[in-house]
Amino acid sequence: AHAPGVVRAGTLVVAPPRDTNEIDRFAARTSGHARVDEGQIAALEPDLAGRFRKGLFFAGEGHVDPRAAMRALVESLREAGVELRFGADGSALGPEAGVVVDCRGFAARPDLPELRGVRGEMIRVRISEVRLTRPVRFLHPRIPLYVVPRRDGEYMIGATMIESADKGAVTVRSALEMLGAAYALHPAFGEAEILEMSADVRPAYPDNEPRIVERVGRIFVNGFYRHGFLLAPAFAKRAATLAFERAEDRVAI
Ligand SMILES: Cc1cc2nc3c(=O)[nH]c(=O)nc-3n(C[C@H](O)[C@H](O)[C@H](O)COP(=O)(O)OP(=O)(O)OC[C@H]3O[C@@H](n4cnc5c(N)ncnc54)[C@H](O)[C@@H]3O)c2cc1C
């Protein structure tokens, strides 16, 4: 509701012809999908016509460009009179600062030692010869990947999952796997321009579930793992409720 550009067109899941049993495995572990055959896949994504025999369609899913969403959210907060300061170190803020909601991601590890880092890499490409209208998840026994359409022929190919807190540049192996998956989805991706390759560290608790915890006088909102954008609205609401309660407690004291 607050971010522009949310597209609600569902997502499609396909697998290479020799790995179609991966579709059954994925179907058994998820809900909200319908099985689709070659003709239905072609109707949903004409550019994939004749390429995949079986798939799953999750009609209720959507997608968003996170960077565009963040820019728009910052703008609307500013318009609402919220002061935002970037580049300021919040790690040393004490109780004099008021209620502190700490969402430093993996950087909060000194206070949340149970957090671990899960490295994720992605590649952004541009190609006008392929037109996909929704994210396509490409199942592969070793490395399941997805391709998300953005504006103006751009696609985001992601994302690796590596048990490591190393934020270093994308490795050759990961680039090969991600680009190979895009090429297997549609060979025209072979002609795409590479716009960006980048890596980051996802903060995760041992069970991969996010948590709101109060510790050392702060409210920590962390552990979003692969789902920070998906779960942000629900957790922001819960964190805000708790922060207002704590602000009232302070007034009462
Ligand atoms: C390649 C990749 C693909 C992903 N795909 C998806 C997806 O499809 N859907 C989805 O929902 N999620 C996805 N995620 C996961 C999502 O990006 C994370 O869950 C999310 O970024 C976690 O959000 P966060 O705000 O908790 O932490 P972060 O995004 O890590 O943000 C932490 C912030 O804290 C700031 N900070 C750090 N230290 C300090 C300090 N001392 N003082 C002040 N500020 C500080 C940092 O600069 C940063 O801005 C993906 C992640 C990666 C890496």
Side-chain angles (χ1 to χ4, degrees):
H2 298 292
V6 178
V7 182
R8 292 188 170 84
T11 61
L12 188 61
V13 178
V14 293
R18 66 178 182 284
D19 294 317
T20 47
N21 57 335
E22 291 296 318
I23 298 273
D24 300 326
R25 269 164 48 89
F26 198 86
R29 287 158 44 203
T30 54
S31 57
H33 51 70
R35 291 198 177 255
V36 284
D37 61 18
E38 197 170 327
Q40 289 162 312
I41 293 171
L44 288 164
E45 295 294 348
D47 278 12
L48 298 183
R51 302 195 52 75
F52 302 99
R53 286 196 305 271
K54 275 168 67 166
L56 300 172
F57 180 50
F58 291 76
E61 296 199 332
H63 65 281
V64 66
D65 177 342
R67 289 179 187 166
M70 292 294 263
R71 280 195 297 271
L73 290 170
V74 163
E75 213 34 61
S76 60
L77 285 170
R78 281 206 170 114
E79 275 165 23
V82 176
E83 183 189 344
L84 292 143
R85 279 187 237 158
F86 292 105
D89 181 2
S91 55
L93 290 178
E96 73 291 343
V99 177
V100 176
V101 180
D102 185 320
C103 36
R104 279 177 289 154
F106 191 67
R109 189 154 189 263
D111 291 309
L112 303 171
E114 60 275 47
L115 271 188
R116 74 182 202 286
V118 182
R119 183 178 152 87
E121 295 148 292
M122 66 92 164
I123 301 181
R124 241 172 7 99
V125 301
R126 186 186 294 127
I127 171 111
S128 52
E129 283 75 34
V130 184
R131 272 188 55 82
L132 299 176
T133 55
R134 54 178 61 76
V136 181
R137 200 177 285 276
F138 188 64
L139 300 183
H140 184 283
R142 206 158 31 89
I143 171 162
L145 290 160
Y146 52 80
V147 175
V148 185
R150 299 263 167 88
R151 289 167 46 164
D152 306 325
E154 263 189 49
Y155 291 89
M156 183 263 203
I157 307 166
T160 56
M161 278 195 289
I162 299 164
E163 290 290 330
S164 161
D166 174 12
K167 240 184 161 177
V170 173
T171 62
V172 169
R173 179 188 293 119
S174 296
L176 283 170
E177 283 174 346
M178 287 188 277
L179 294 174
Y183 185 70
L185 190 64
H186 198 298
F189 274 110
E191 305 306 318
E193 271 178 273
I194 296 178
L195 304 175
E196 176 188 346
M197 297 197 190
S198 56
D200 210 339
V201 172
R202 308 176 182 96
Y205 285 114
D207 60 1
N208 296 332
E209 297 277 342
R211 292 179 205 161
I212 296 175
V213 291
E214 290 188 273
R215 201 176 283 179
V216 295
R218 294 172 168 222
I219 299 170
F220 287 91
V221 188
N222 215 313
F224 283 94
Y225 183 46
R226 297 196 85 187
H227 312 116
F229 281 88
L230 179 69
L231 301 177
F235 273 75
K237 218 173 194 172
R238 288 196 217 168
T241 305
L242 185 59
F244 282 116
E245 272 173 31
R246 290 295 167 266
E248 275 173 26
D249 295 347
R250 289 169 72 94
V251 172
I253 291 165

